[in-house]
Amino acid sequence: MSSWQRRISVLFLILGTVGFAPPVQAVEAAHRVVSIAQARTLPPGAVVTVDGVATTPSGAFESSFFDRGFGLQDRTAGIYVSVAADLGIAPRTRVRVTGTLRDSSGLLVLVPVGPAAVVVHGNGPAVRPLLLATGAVGESSEGRLVRVVATITRAPAPDLPYGFKFFVDDGSGELTVFVNTQTGIDLTGLAVGETVRVTGFSSQYDTHYEIDPRFPADITRRHR
């Protein structure tokens, strides 16, 4: 992923949300809560209301997403909520969002229709990550909290100022692990051939899928 590609993709997302507010009727109709899985079947531009539990801290992916959004998941699926301001969302926060579905470089995101469209209402249960093979992280898992156990095939390398990336494979297919600078995750010492357990947000950039860890504890070495 190159620097200019990330900047251009974000500009298109911002331009797509400025000056194109959905009709009042559409917003009112969208107040009925639907499952995130159902929302994900709708086309970009649709206005929906979903309710779930946050899986990532707000702003954790700011260096590459260029916003201060957060992951949201219910029992059916997950999605990324894209907001400009840090709302102080922490994992397990229960949130209801009314927003417009947008495509951001392949990643489906939900952009709230206004400041009052994000409603925090208590805490929910901790979301358990879905254990997957590296080759199974893809469109079907996008937006969820996932976990893989695999061998490092390419050592961590800088992709600054956006973050760092390395690659893992459990034999089912190579997968990108993208570490944003806000997470404070130290990749020092991780080497090719080492087995690691990686937990994070199942994401997509352009044509490839990736896991975006949230905290230092999301990457652990597995001792043989």
Side-chain angles (χ1 to χ4, degrees), residues 142-167:
E142 185 182 289
R144 287 182 177 270
L145 187 66
V146 300
R147 174 176 290 165
V148 299
V149 179
T151 301
I152 297 175
T153 54
R154 286 188 262 177
D159 187 12
L160 298 175
Y162 312 103
F164 299 81
K165 60 183 176 181
F166 64 98
F167 296 81

Side-chain angles (χ1 to χ4, degrees), residues 106-131:
L107 177 67
L108 183 66
V109 303
L110 185 62
V111 182
V113 296
V118 179
V119 179
V120 173
H121 56 106
N123 290 321
V127 176
R128 293 183 178 180
L130 178 65
L131 183 62

Side-chain angles (χ1 to χ4, degrees), residues 160-197:
L160 298 175
Y162 312 103
F164 299 81
K165 60 183 176 181
F166 64 98
F167 296 81
V168 297
D169 194 342
D170 62 4
S172 63
E174 194 175 57
L175 175 67
T176 303
V177 179
F178 192 88
V179 178
N180 287 266
T181 58
Q182 284 77 21
T183 62
I185 297 174
D186 184 4
L187 302 179
T188 303
L190 291 183
V192 172
E194 189 170 10
T195 300
V196 291
R197 184 180 71 179

Side-chain angles (χ1 to χ4, degrees), residues 3-204:
S3 301
W4 68 267
Q5 285 176 319
R6 282 192 179 271
R7 290 183 182 275
I8 292 296
S9 65
V10 172
L11 284 174
F12 274 111
L13 176 61
I14 293 173
L15 289 174
T17 59
V18 175
F20 293 94
V24 174
Q25 297 90 338
V27 175
E28 291 176 347
H31 280 184
R32 180 177 63 87
V33 176
V34 300
S35 70
I36 295 178
Q38 183 178 346
R40 295 188 64 89
T41 67
L42 301 175
V47 179
V48 297
T49 296
V50 297
D51 194 292
V53 175
T55 55
T56 76
S58 55
F61 305 147
E62 183 180 0
S63 59
S64 66
F65 282 39
F66 299 96
D67 66 15
R68 296 176 178 176
F70 55 94
L72 188 69
Q73 187 170 324
D74 64 11
R75 293 183 178 180
T76 68
I79 198 166
Y80 185 78
V81 180
S82 178
V83 294
D86 188 347
L87 302 179
I89 303 296
R92 294 189 62 182
T93 304
R94 187 172 293 280
V95 190
R96 179 172 296 183
V97 183
T98 298
T100 305
L101 295 170
R102 301 287 186 196
D103 179 275
S104 177
S105 298
L107 177 67
L108 183 66
V109 303
L110 185 62
V111 182
V113 296
V118 179
V119 179
V120 173
H121 56 106
N123 290 321
V127 176
R128 293 183 178 180
L130 178 65
L131 183 62
L132 293 175
T134 54
V137 177
E139 197 66 35
S140 62
S141 68
E142 185 182 289
R144 287 182 177 270
L145 187 66
V146 300
R147 174 176 290 165
V148 299
V149 179
T151 301
I152 297 175
T153 54
R154 286 188 262 177
D159 187 12
L160 298 175
Y162 312 103
F164 299 81
K165 60 183 176 181
F166 64 98
F167 296 81
V168 297
D169 194 342
D170 62 4
S172 63
E174 194 175 57
L175 175 67
T176 303
V177 179
F178 192 88
V179 178
N180 287 266
T181 58
Q182 284 77 21
T183 62
I185 297 174
D186 184 4
L187 302 179
T188 303
L190 291 183
V192 172
E194 189 170 10
T195 300
V196 291
R197 184 180 71 179
V198 181
T199 304
F201 180 78
S202 179
S203 188
Q204 180 179 358

